[in-house]
Amino acid sequence: MDLRFGDSKPTDEERAAVDALLGPPESSWEGADRSDADLRWARGGREARERRDLLLPGLHAVNDRIGWISEGALDYLCRRLTVPPAEAYGVATFYAMFSVKPRPATVLHVCTDLACAAAGASELCAGVEARLGLGSGVSVERSPCLGLCERAPAALAVKAGDPVRTAVSAPATVERAVLAASAPDSAPEEPPAALAVPQAGRAGREELVLLSRVGVVDPASLDDYRAHGGYTALRQAFAIGPAGVIREVTDAGLVGRGGAAFPTGRKWQATASQPDHPHYLVCNADESEPGTFKDRVVMEGDPYSLVEAMTIAGYAVGAHKGYLYLRGEYPRALERMEHAIGQARARGLLGEDVLGQGYAFDIEIRRGAGAYICGEETALFNSIEGYRGEPRSKPPFPVEKGLFGKPTAENNVETLVNVLPILTMGSQAYAAIGTGKSTGPKLFCVSGSVDRPGIYELPFGATLGELLDLAGVRKRLRAVLLGGAAGGFVRPDELDIPLTFEGTREAGATLGSGVVLAFDDTVPLPRLLLRIAEFFRDESCGQCVPCRVGTVRQEEALHRIVERTGADAASDIALLREVGRAMKDASICGLGQTAWNAVESAIDRLGAYE
């Protein structure tokens, strides 16, 4: 792909897909037929360049309509946005869900990550590939985690067209996956989100705080949400003012639930105090950590809670625009959130005058396209702005220069919905839940070798053993992976670890985003570690050398150990340690810094490869 435009032309369908998003071109400089006026001056360039952030939605528009992105379609999109074709090509090839090579209109993504691997994903892939061979009109792609771990193994079918059609098969069999791919409109409907909350059907529902409405309210009904306490928190926010909201969040001790555990009140205060304007709010709903699916369940089962929480956060930090960056593999969550935002806007709960309080705030959804690295906040900003999702060096920090170079508060879904009970019950009552250093309730994603996989809500301080007792461990427990692929393994005799940020840290583990993957003794641990290494190799953005090279070297060493093709396993383990230290010390972002964690813990705590 050249920096200059080529001679390729878009088809009528490709042109229509782009124009449906951007509107018809106004001059030949944007791809319209040339007029006499266009020969005298160039116009519209500044406006087009200011719309660079529509590059990712434009790529989605073409990929959704056609199934892949041709050179002609990319050229046309670049003309419309005044983006050099080479840069747009770099963006299009960055995301796993896009293709710049011809492929069938239907793509079946079959998850091969940790929970699905333990549930027989390799056999599912082999069976599906045998049934859907060449000429079937379906492209079968082995995919990283689809966020359906409680129903593993999982598959997602995407059929291009106007409109694009999707179908989820989970738990998937060969027959169900083939049906989803061949006839997505006829595929069985997904089970309700409440089935992912085992506590909802058991004693103890009254103790739920964050998940109390999942399975109780109709996720499509704003009136039902309000009848169950919805928008009480927003009214309280308006009553105490932005500074009061930040004070309550700070006094409650709320910290980020995405893994970094940074104090939310400090982040909001730092953003609100910046003199530069406008301020932005970004909700990170791109949970792509293998084993993580809590944000999806909240958005599918209680979408209005996130709309309300984002409105409160925007009010607190002085933002009038919020972006919801939503995982591309979550079609039902996308549908639910689009409906909820539309209903809230129609009822005066979003827009120019929220609840008649003179505060303007609106939310725009931006879809991701399959890139784990975009869970890092600055990579997410680059993705929204229309660039490759590569992390930025810090400082400056996002509270100073974030999205579009302006002060930005970024939080994930779970962090934001915690703000609702803080305002309704009060910061002191909220802080009384959990422990002194880890306050409030926490959502845990439990999957793998358990009888009742799903999302569990427990106060901080419960032990790992208590959580696994609720989920019901199957057979003989071999290991538990805490924190997902970027976390670490613990042994079956370490289940008394308290599930707090400080407790897991003292135990030499990490809580991360709340992933708890249990594996019994039927799961081949070496193959599991190799899959983790493959995941990080694929998901590295390649920007920095330690991560770009280190993840490859890590995978190569594990291949030699697993397949016994190396001269000496001990020397490969020594190499793994050296590479792991280099990645941890020198990588730009958390991906490279944590890519060695799970392998290191398996070697040191579980005696893997001995």
Side-chain angles (χ1 to χ4, degrees):
M1 178 60 67
D2 202 338
L3 282 167
R4 296 164 296 182
F5 293 105
D7 296 327
S8 300
K9 302 296 182 185
T11 65
D12 291 342
E13 277 285 287
E14 291 168 340
R15 184 184 291 270
V18 174
D19 290 350
L21 174 72
L22 303 178
E26 295 183 0
S27 73
S28 65
W29 299 100
E30 292 186 39
D33 293 333
R34 180 168 291 173
S35 66
D36 291 341
D38 294 333
L39 297 176
R40 295 187 177 90
W41 68 83
R43 53 198 167 96
R46 180 190 295 267
E47 292 81 358
R49 284 190 292 275
E50 289 176 350
R51 297 198 295 174
R52 167 76 185 245
D53 65 295
L54 294 178
L55 178 58
L56 183 57
L59 293 171
H60 267 298
V62 175
N63 198 75
D64 285 350
R65 181 82 68 98
I66 310 301
W68 67 288
I69 302 163
S70 71
E71 186 174 336
L74 193 64
D75 264 10
Y76 181 64
L77 180 59
C78 289
R79 288 184 187 278
R80 296 299 316 275
L81 298 176
T82 318
V83 174
E87 289 187 26
Y89 182 83
V91 174
T93 54
F94 187 82
Y95 298 96
M97 297 187 75
F98 296 150
S99 175
V100 294
K101 297 180 180 179
R103 66 178 179 183
T106 301
V107 178
L108 180 66
H109 302 273
V110 182
C111 179
T112 58
D113 244 315
L114 306 180
C116 290
S122 59
E123 293 82 2
L124 174 64
C125 283
V128 169
E129 288 168 346
R131 288 278 297 273
L132 296 173
L134 294 175
S136 66
V138 177
S139 172
V140 180
E141 297 187 2
R142 300 188 176 219
S143 168
C145 184
L146 293 173
L148 296 162
C149 316
E150 84 279 16
R151 306 203 306 268
L156 168 66
V158 180
K159 186 172 185 178
D162 185 20
V164 62
R165 292 186 291 272
T166 61
V168 167
S169 177
T173 62
V174 173
E175 290 72 22
R176 291 175 189 162
V178 169
L179 174 62
S182 56
D185 293 334
S186 303
E189 188 176 347
E190 282 192 77
L195 286 188
V197 184
Q199 290 162 296
R202 297 160 60 93
R205 168 181 268 285
E206 63 276 2
E207 299 176 2
L208 297 179
V209 177
L210 305 178
L211 301 175
S212 62
R213 282 184 289 261
V214 177
V216 175
V217 302
D218 177 359
S221 172
L222 177 56
D223 290 330
D224 203 8
Y225 175 71
R226 297 182 77 165
H228 287 83
Y231 283 96
T232 303
L234 180 59
R235 292 184 184 277
Q236 176 65 11
F238 284 134
I240 62 178
V245 173
I246 294 176
R247 184 172 57 251
E248 286 289 290
V249 171
T250 302
D251 292 346
L254 177 64
V255 299
R257 300 298 201 245
F262 189 84
T264 304
R266 281 176 55 192
K267 180 184 288 189
W268 288 11
Q269 180 61 52
T271 307
S273 62
Q274 295 297 319
D276 193 14
H277 286 275
H279 295 179
Y280 289 104
L281 173 76
V282 174
C283 175
N284 183 350
D286 191 50
E287 55 173 4
S288 304
E289 183 78 44
T292 310
F293 50 97
K294 56 188 173 62
D295 293 350
R296 171 182 62 80
V297 174
V298 171
M299 290 186 288
E300 291 180 350
D302 193 15
Y304 290 101
S305 67
L306 181 56
V307 176
E308 182 182 5
M310 288 184 67
T311 308
I312 294 170
Y315 177 64
V317 303
H320 298 287
K321 181 68 176 287
Y323 286 90
L324 173 61
Y325 191 89
L326 181 58
R327 242 195 119 178
E329 295 91 339
Y330 283 176
R332 186 164 71 171
L334 172 65
E335 177 189 343
R336 296 273 168 89
M337 292 309 305
E338 284 180 335
H339 178 78
I341 290 170
Q343 287 295 302
R345 191 179 293 128
R347 301 277 287 275
L349 298 168
L350 288 174
E352 293 298 320
D353 188 14
V354 176
L355 276 178
Q357 297 293 319
Y359 168 62
F361 183 75
D362 212 340
I363 298 171
E364 183 176 343
I365 297 177
R366 289 297 175 91
R367 292 164 58 199
Y372 169 72
I373 189 63
C374 288
E376 198 277 338
E377 57 184 358
T378 61
L380 187 156
F381 300 156
N382 277 338
S383 181
I384 291 177
E385 291 176 20
Y387 298 93
R388 289 169 62 87
E390 296 174 342
R392 304 172 185 173
S393 296
K394 293 182 279 192
F397 293 97
V399 296
E400 301 167 311
K401 290 188 180 296
L403 185 66
F404 304 119
K406 299 297 182 180
T408 304
E410 182 268 354
N411 296 106
N412 76 344
V413 173
E414 185 187 355
T415 306
L416 288 169
V417 296
N418 267 274
V419 174
L420 305 183
I422 289 173
L423 293 181
T424 54
M425 68 171 59
S427 58
Q428 290 186 346
Y430 179 91
I433 302 172
T435 67
K437 294 183 179 179
S438 297
T439 63
K442 178 76 183 80
L443 301 182
F444 296 95
C445 310
V446 185
S447 59
S449 304
V450 295
D451 293 321
R452 294 175 292 279
I455 303 297
Y456 287 82
E457 180 184 322
L458 293 175
F460 276 114
T463 66
L464 178 58
E466 290 170 345
L467 175 59
L468 290 176
D469 284 343
L470 286 175
V473 177
R474 286 192 239 129
K475 301 180 182 178
R476 182 183 169 192
L477 189 64
R478 171 75 172 89
V480 179
L481 180 60
L482 268 182
F489 286 95
V490 298
R491 300 186 305 270
D493 61 350
E494 297 179 298
L495 301 187
D496 58 347
I497 294 175
L499 295 173
T500 61
F501 293 110
E502 65 275 12
T504 52
R505 194 160 44 242
E506 289 170 5
T510 178
L511 194 60
S513 59
V515 174
V516 178
L517 267 164
F519 299 105
D520 59 33
D521 55 7
T522 65
V523 178
L525 188 59
R527 288 286 173 186
L528 208 64
L529 296 177
L530 183 55
R531 180 67 192 98
I532 292 173
E534 290 171 346
F535 172 81
F536 281 113
R537 178 212 63 202
D538 288 341
E539 298 296 340
S540 172
C541 74
Q543 180 182 194
C544 69
V545 173
C547 179
R548 181 176 70 240
V549 177
T551 53
V552 174
R553 294 293 171 262
Q554 178 173 264
E555 185 203 4
E556 290 172 347
L558 288 173
H559 263 298
R560 289 194 296 270
I561 294 172
V562 170
E563 297 165 3
R564 300 186 179 182
T565 56
D568 180 15
S571 62
D572 276 323
I573 290 176
L575 175 63
L576 282 170
R577 293 188 187 280
E578 183 179 354
V579 169
R581 282 194 298 270
M583 287 194 292
K584 188 172 292 188
D585 292 342
S587 294
I588 287 177
C589 79
L591 187 150
Q593 294 163 12
T594 59
W596 153 246
N597 285 1
V599 179
E600 179 184 31
S601 65
I603 294 171
D604 293 342
R605 301 178 86 120
L606 304 179
Y609 309 124
E610 288 183 353

